[in-house]
Amino acid sequence: MTLELRLDGAVVLVTGGVRGVGAGVTRTFLRAGAQVITCARTEPERPVRAEDAASTFISCDVRDPKEVDALFEEILRRHGRLDVVVNNAGGAPFADAATASPRFHEKVIALNLLAPLTVARAANAIMQRQETGGAIVNISSVSATRPSPGTASYGAAKAGLDNLTSTLAVEWAPKVRVNALDVGMVRTEHTHLHYGDADGIAAVGATVPLGRLAEPDEIGACAVFLASPLASYVSGSCLTVHGGGEVPAFLAASNSLVKERKEPV
């Protein structure tokens, strides 16, 4: 049984929507019939496409409020409205919290928490004036809800983003719905930088109960759902998209001990 979500004619902005998870989100909205605008600091070599549909691109550093204002002015000039915003731009390299510079932490928090707030505020200003309102989907992370060693400021920023999601959902209701996706490990063009070769990626995927990493378009499908009329009564929610999470380390240790002792389970 297939349930196809359609957002024909909807105007959608996906920040950082030209690669990785963002490209998957862009493709999924295109397949749903939306007009998708992507933004990033650097224009890609070619637009993101899905079948016969293609996204359009506007250059913007979402950390700069002036550039964000210019972005939304251009979207209104071209389309006259804005129905959905997906706050996807984010990320952080691995760095030890004790040795990374204060400037490093500031930049990570600016990209992963302050920038989504800046974008959401600009979107809300437009959506509140529209009869049909709008929807904002924040791409967060499972790092928001568990320890995030090696990416401490990123995890803290995503925890802030989850809280921001629930707060804005209250402040901006009933016109604007605000939700988030707490995303686990996703297979992208940069996965090898974190997990190594194909064997390493497969080994990491095997730690997930569903046995693999997510595909970017699967994250996009969840974003389309939250933006669609099927989620018309969903706001202030953080939907966990992590394939079942992580098997607790103590279980693996316990099973090893049982096997070594040859005791019945």
Side-chain angles (χ1 to χ4, degrees), residues 98-263:
T99 57
S101 70
R103 177 61 178 157
F104 173 87
H105 293 301
E106 288 174 6
K107 291 176 69 174
V108 170
I109 292 171
L111 177 61
N112 291 281
L113 177 58
L114 298 181
L117 173 58
T118 300
V119 170
R121 290 181 70 250
N124 176 67
I126 295 171
M127 294 172 176
Q128 291 291 344
R129 300 194 300 266
Q130 298 176 162
E131 183 178 352
T132 55
I136 297 171
V137 181
N138 295 319
I139 304 299
S140 188
S141 168
V142 293
S143 292
T145 59
R146 60 157 172 74
S148 188
T151 53
S153 50
Y154 171 82
K158 291 301 189 182
L161 184 60
D162 281 5
N163 182 273
L164 182 68
T165 296
S166 59
T167 299
L168 298 184
V170 174
E171 290 193 5
W172 296 349
K175 275 294 187 71
V176 178
R177 295 186 297 108
V178 187
N179 292 289
L181 298 176
D182 281 359
V183 176
M185 295 181 289
V186 184
R187 182 169 186 146
T188 71
E189 61 268 37
H190 299 299
T191 300
H192 65 282
L193 298 177
H194 297 282
Y195 308 129
D197 60 14
D199 289 340
I201 294 171
V204 171
T207 69
V208 179
L210 287 188
R212 61 178 178 83
L213 306 187
E215 296 297 330
D217 291 37
E218 292 178 302
I219 309 305
C222 294
V224 168
F225 163 70
L226 288 177
S228 78
L230 286 181
S232 60
Y233 201 65
V234 181
S235 194
S237 175
C238 294
L239 175 63
T240 304
V241 189
H242 63 2
E246 302 170 359
V247 177
F250 75 85
L251 288 180
S254 175
N255 288 341
S256 296
L257 290 175
V258 169
K259 291 176 182 178
E260 288 174 4
R261 295 170 182 169
K262 298 182 179 180
E263 295 177 354

Side-chain angles (χ1 to χ4, degrees), residues 11 37 56-60 66-82 126:
V11 178
I37 304 101
T56 58
F57 178 84
I58 301 174
S59 177
C60 179
K66 291 183 178 179
E67 289 197 28
V68 170
D69 287 342
L71 167 67
F72 282 90
E73 288 173 6
E74 181 62 17
I75 291 172
L76 281 182
R77 187 188 70 79
R78 295 184 188 185
H79 300 280
R81 62 179 298 104
L82 179 64
I126 295 171

